């Protein structure tokens, strides 16, 4: 028995295995979310004429992913706090493989819509699942950095998707074949996950001990009650709602608004807008390292939100291509603190920690996806009322200042003394 216990302990405490888990979820995020999402956005100009879609059908197809995500993300988060993360994430990646492969085998609008909806279902599981893995395997001082690498991997997938989708399609013989290949690759990732991934018990999670979290399993209803009765959780939920709604709207309409800049063309406008993805990718990888060395998050998060507002609005109002590109790059660079901060500080609340992170992130994602659907409508209303696209988008992003105020009110937690 002693030998068996020693063997188990040795297996449980391999310090470097957390980086294997981080690499796996980054690979999932890179492929299933980043590349797959950016590639379909890039290919709409080809797929819609090929399949004879009108504008309403194209919009419906694009909306199927956030609809699937919004419908299932809260349920998925609650399930992740009750059942094995390894199994649920395996299901998520397998569904993602089917969703992407399905794009390459159908020309039917209804079937294509179903496959896009399944992509949203896959993300509804993997988004809170990825955060669950981070809170399970990393200490408090490492959360910011791990979240940054995860988000950076998604933006790297988006950059590759935006810039290499057409060359890949040309090389393999069309978008149908490309999606079959990518779907097969995601299936390989699912197999790798099943072989390599591991779960941890609640009493093995360092974060739970650092925050003196109550690791006793309770019902889903009790988990929800505890989270919704936490003041700081509500501050973060509302801040995230505004922030993500504004960022998603900005990403979607910035290329259109940039066409108004003197001397701009559709290709130049797209290039300027891509500076945001580049800035975000670098920010997610670099900025958390800086704040981790300081040992604080809050003093970086809300000022970064303010800086992001100023720089992104300057990009819209500058009237100069070079200034717009530089301002957008540095404004998006601030996402390394501004976007990563709320979810990281949510994970650090003692009422959540590693025990209820799945449910909490599920709630957070529900808020953010609802905002992603609402804020474009606010933008459209303001564009008509102000007769200016750049002023409307500037007003929408200025709402992030409210998020900055809310995050400045959140109490930052520090590890308990051992």
């Amino acid at each position: 028995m002693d030998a068996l216990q020693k063997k188990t302990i040795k297996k449980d405490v391999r310090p470097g295995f957390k980086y294997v888990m981080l690499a796996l979820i980054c690979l999932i995020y890179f492929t299933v979310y980043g590349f797959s999402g950016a590639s379909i956005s890039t290919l709409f100009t080809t797929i819609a004429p090929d399949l004879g879609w009108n504008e309403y059908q194209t919009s419906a197809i694009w909306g199927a992913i956030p609809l699937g995500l919004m419908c299932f993300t809260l349920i998925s988060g609650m399930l992740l706090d009750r059942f094995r993360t390894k199994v649920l994430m395996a299901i998520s990646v397998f569904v993602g493989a089917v969703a992407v492969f399905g794009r390459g085998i159908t020309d039917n609008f209804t079937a294509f819509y179903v496959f896009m909806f399944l992509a949203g279902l896959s993300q509804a599981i993997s988004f809170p699942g990825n955060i669950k893995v981070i809170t399970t395997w990393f200490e408090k001082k490492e959360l910011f950095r791990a979240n940054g690498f995860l988000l950076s991997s998604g933006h790297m997938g988006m950059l590759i998707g935006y810039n290499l989708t057409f060359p890949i399609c040309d090389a393999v013989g069309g978008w149908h074949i490309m999606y079959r290949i990518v779907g097969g690759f995601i299936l390989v990732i699912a197999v790798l996950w099943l072989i390599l991934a591991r779960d941890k018990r609640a009493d093995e999670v360092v974060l739970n001990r650092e925050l003196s979290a109550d690791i006793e399993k309770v019902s889903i209803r009790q988990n929800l009650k505890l989270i919704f009765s936490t003041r700081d959780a509500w501050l973060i939920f509302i801040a995230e709602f505004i922030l993500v709604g504004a960022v998603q709207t900005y990403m979607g309409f910035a290329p259109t608004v940039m066409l108004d800049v003197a001397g701009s063309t559709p290709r130049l406008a797209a290039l300027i807008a891509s500076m945001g993805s580049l800035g975000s990718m670098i920010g997610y990888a670099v900025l958390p390292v800086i704040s981790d060395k300081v040992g604080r998050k809050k003093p970086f998060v809300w000022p970064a939100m303010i800086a992001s507002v100023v720089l992104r609005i300057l990009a819209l109002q500058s009237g100069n291509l070079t200034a717009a590109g530089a301002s957008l790059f540095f404004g998006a660079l601030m996402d390394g603190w501004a976007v990563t901060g709320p979810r990281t500080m949510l994970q650090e609340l003692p009422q959540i920690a590693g025990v209820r992170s799945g449910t909490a992130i599920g709630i957070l994602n529900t808020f953010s996806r609802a905002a992603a659907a609402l804020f474009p409508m606010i933008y459209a209303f303001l564009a008509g009322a102000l007769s200016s696209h750049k002023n409307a988008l500037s007003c929408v992003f200025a709402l992030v200042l409210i998020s900055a105020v809310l995050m400045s009110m959140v109490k930052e937690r520090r590890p308990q003394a051992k």
Side-chain angles (χ1 to χ4, degrees), residues 1-200:
M1 177 63 76
D2 289 342
L4 181 61
Q5 287 177 339
K6 289 179 181 179
K7 183 178 179 181
T8 302
I9 292 172
K10 184 177 180 181
K11 181 180 179 181
D12 287 342
V13 296
R14 285 184 293 170
F17 192 78
K18 60 187 176 184
Y19 298 111
V20 175
M21 296 295 293
L22 180 61
L24 285 172
I25 61 174
C26 284
L27 182 60
I28 293 169
Y29 205 59
F30 171 90
T31 311
V32 181
Y33 168 70
F35 179 83
S36 298
S39 64
I40 192 67
S41 176
T42 303
L43 285 169
F44 269 145
T45 55
T46 299
I47 295 176
D50 284 353
L51 304 185
W53 295 342
N54 58 38
E55 291 183 5
Y56 296 105
Q57 288 175 311
T58 304
S59 298
I61 289 292
W62 182 242
I65 291 180
L67 178 63
L69 203 157
M70 188 172 67
C71 287
F72 292 99
T73 188
L74 178 56
I75 297 172
S76 301
M78 292 187 294
L79 291 176
L80 283 160
D81 286 338
R82 298 292 295 176
F83 302 102
R84 294 183 63 192
T85 302
K86 177 176 179 176
V87 173
L88 291 172
M89 284 290 288
I91 293 172
S92 165
V93 182
F94 178 77
V95 171
V98 171
V100 174
F101 186 85
R103 299 176 193 175
I105 62 173
T106 184
D107 290 334
N108 178 271
F109 170 78
T110 303
F112 209 105
Y113 184 92
V114 170
F115 286 124
M116 292 290 282
F117 184 85
L118 286 176
L121 172 58
S122 170
Q123 292 174 18
I125 302 173
S126 65
F127 281 6
N130 291 336
I131 303 301
K132 185 75 175 180
V133 169
I134 288 175
T135 55
T136 299
W137 286 92
F138 288 86
E139 301 174 27
K140 182 179 182 298
K141 65 182 181 181
E142 301 168 317
L143 289 180
F144 215 164
R145 196 178 311 179
N147 278 314
F149 276 112
L150 175 65
L151 291 169
S152 182
S153 67
H155 279 272
M156 185 181 297
M158 291 172 67
L159 274 176
I160 292 175
Y162 284 135
N163 293 292
L164 295 184
T165 292
F166 283 118
I168 293 173
C169 288
D170 293 339
V172 301
W175 62 268
H176 282 97
I177 297 176
M178 185 199 74
Y179 277 129
R180 294 173 196 174
I181 294 172
V182 175
F185 179 70
I186 295 173
L187 185 60
V188 172
I189 296 175
V191 174
L192 279 175
W193 173 268
L194 281 172
I195 293 172
L196 298 175
R198 286 175 48 207
D199 287 317
K200 269 190 174 185

Side-chain angles (χ1 to χ4, degrees), residues 277-293:
S277 293
L278 180 62
S280 294
M281 185 183 73
I282 296 173
Y284 289 137
V286 175
L287 297 190
V289 178
I290 297 173
S291 52
D292 281 348
K293 289 188 178 296

Side-chain angles (χ1 to χ4, degrees), residues 144 151 239-240 243-244 247 283-284 287 297 300-309 312 331-343 397 400 403 407:
F144 215 164
L151 291 169
E240 177 86 355
L243 177 68
V244 172
V247 169
Y284 289 137
L287 297 190
K297 298 176 180 64
F300 295 92
V301 172
W302 65 267
M305 290 179 175
I306 295 175
S308 179
V309 170
R312 276 183 161 112
L333 186 76
M334 294 295 102
D335 289 350
W337 284 320
V339 176
T340 312
R343 65 186 60 199
F397 207 83
V400 175
S403 296
M407 290 307 301

